[in-house]
Amino acid sequence: MFSNILIPTDGSPLATLAVDAAITFAKEVGAKITILIVTEPFHLVSLDAEQLSNTRAQYEALSEVHAAETLRAARTRAEAAGVRCVTDQTSAHEVYLEIIRKAQDIGADLIIMASHGRGGVGALIIGSVAAKVLTHSTIPVLIYRKQHED
């Protein structure tokens, strides 16, 4: 049923768990995956703590390194599981639109992503990217949520 899955991530702990779950799912259904990181461009006015504490050059360099490390680790885990994997990194002001565009461009038949990403001030709008992808995508979206341990 699913043969081409897009997995957007920001490298946060929950997103990493979602990537791992998506790799397991892809292996079970024999799908290939594309793991995507969309970074937001540097903003002079921002709620993102990383952007507030860095210059544009520092932010862009840190974002590039973070994306490369996150994608390399995810690709290694996918390959170890025997799942065909492509990785991609891009930058966009509207992250959710870029995720949807990428899914359409690669002919994805499913998007699997975490319910929310980074914490901190960004957690005030929990799941805003996931909610927008879910709301606006014409491609099915599977939202990964970590179960709470009681």
Side-chain angles (χ1 to χ4, degrees), residues 112-135:
I112 299 177
M113 63 189 301
S115 59
H116 60 279
R118 294 190 178 113
V121 177
L124 294 174
I125 311 172
I126 290 179
S128 63
V129 172
K132 288 178 182 177
V133 170
L134 189 59
T135 301

Side-chain angles (χ1 to χ4, degrees), residues 5-75:
I5 301 169
L6 177 67
I7 309 166
T9 184
D10 63 6
S12 65
L14 182 61
T16 300
L17 290 173
V19 169
D20 290 346
I23 289 169
T24 300
F25 179 79
K27 181 177 176 84
E28 290 174 4
V29 300
K32 66 180 179 179
I33 62 173
T34 299
I35 303 173
L36 173 69
I37 289 186
V38 181
T39 56
E40 291 183 85
F42 185 84
H43 298 284
L44 290 176
V45 178
S46 176
L47 294 177
D48 185 342
E50 288 179 22
Q51 290 189 29
L52 292 173
S53 64
N54 295 314
T55 66
R56 179 184 308 271
Q58 289 171 322
Y59 173 77
E60 290 173 355
L62 288 172
S63 294
E64 190 67 32
V65 168
H66 172 73
E69 290 173 353
T70 299
L71 292 173
R72 184 174 33 258
R75 180 192 307 241

Side-chain angles (χ1 to χ4, degrees), residues 60-117:
E60 290 173 355
L62 288 172
S63 294
E64 190 67 32
V65 168
H66 172 73
E69 290 173 353
T70 299
L71 292 173
R72 184 174 33 258
R75 180 192 307 241
T76 298
R77 294 192 310 276
E79 289 172 351
V83 175
R84 292 178 294 148
C85 177
V86 173
T87 60
D88 192 13
Q89 188 274 328
T90 189
S91 179
H93 289 284
E94 295 289 349
V95 173
Y96 81 98
L97 287 175
E98 187 63 19
I99 291 169
I100 292 168
R101 184 201 62 76
K102 181 67 174 183
Q104 293 168 339
D105 286 353
I106 67 168
D109 45 27
L110 180 63
I111 300 169
I112 299 177
M113 63 189 301
S115 59
H116 60 279

